Amino acid sequence: SATGKRNDDEAVISRFYAQVIDRVSGLPGVKSAGVVSRLPLETNGMDQEPFYPEGDKSYADKIPPLQLVTTVGGDYFKTMGMQLIAGRSFDAPDRQRWDDAVISRETAIQFWQDSTGQRVVGKRFQLLPGGPWRTIIGVVGSVRDTSLSAPPTMGGYARGGAPSEGDSIAKKFGSSVYRTMALVVKTSGDPLAITSAVQRV
């Protein structure tokens, strides 16, 4: 079926990025590495979606504020210096649920009036009315993701990768597999010293 073929393609893509992250992470001088569907401050790959919080009737007849939806893999948050202020980050792909999500502090404030993120963990939301529920497993601190002069960004993050057996495309958080992802690397020394080695990987 078309869905089966897509799942196979996504599995290949997911394995490719997992191998890239593992190999880059093992290079001398690399502290951490990850991949992302859209680099901060870039417009290419930007995906904005409305969040419909469970039990919030105020959005029954209007569209909620748009949130920036980003797919990440590997140690993206650690590599980018994004602090987890509540809950946990994504687990290894074979232990990660497809309906899990991490959100920003600003999204926690917008919908749940919770600047700590503590009360938000375990809450659910939909990207479309009647769509599948997403469960918040963690909250990251404020990030100026679209502009250094703009307020911190409201948004959510999904773990990139292929669906495990039994998962359907419709259950996933947005488009969780991208053919083109940006690689982010944190080094212990001069990044230019490992550029060639990373490019070879």
Side-chain angles (χ1 to χ4, degrees), residues 166-178:
D167 279 325
S168 70
I169 300 299
K171 289 182 179 178
K172 296 195 303 174
F173 179 62
S175 299
S176 296
V177 177
Y178 288 78

Side-chain angles (χ1 to χ4, degrees), residues 22-170:
D22 285 346
R23 290 175 61 189
V24 169
S25 298
L27 293 173
V30 172
K31 297 179 75 173
S32 61
V35 291
V36 62
S37 60
R38 173 194 161 270
L39 286 168
L41 309 182
E42 293 283 339
T43 56
N44 188 35
M46 185 177 288
D47 180 17
Q48 292 182 300
E49 303 286 349
F51 277 26
Y52 291 86
E54 185 174 23
D56 190 337
K57 304 301 183 187
S58 63
Y59 299 110
D61 57 357
K62 63 179 179 179
I63 297 176
L66 295 178
Q67 311 292 303
L68 196 62
V69 176
T70 307
T71 298
V72 301
D75 285 331
Y76 177 76
F77 298 131
K78 177 181 176 182
T79 303
M80 297 300 288
M82 297 171 65
Q83 181 185 6
L84 191 72
I85 64 170
R88 61 182 176 83
S89 184
F90 295 117
D91 209 336
D94 60 348
R95 296 192 299 272
Q96 183 67 48
R97 290 177 52 93
W98 280 101
D99 56 357
D100 287 347
V102 173
I103 65 169
S104 70
R105 183 202 305 261
E106 279 58 44
T107 298
I109 294 170
Q110 170 71 42
F111 295 110
W112 292 278
Q113 298 75 52
D114 181 12
S115 62
T116 70
Q118 298 296 326
R119 298 190 314 273
V120 171
V121 175
K123 300 285 188 184
R124 301 194 308 169
F125 65 89
Q126 297 166 302
L127 293 179
L128 291 171
W133 290 104
R134 317 300 174 182
T135 302
I136 298 166
I137 62 168
V139 180
V140 292
S142 299
V143 175
R144 283 181 168 80
D145 198 279
T146 56
S147 169
L148 295 180
S149 60
T153 311
M154 294 188 294
Y157 300 86
R159 181 192 62 77
S164 59
E165 188 174 349
D167 279 325
S168 70
I169 300 299

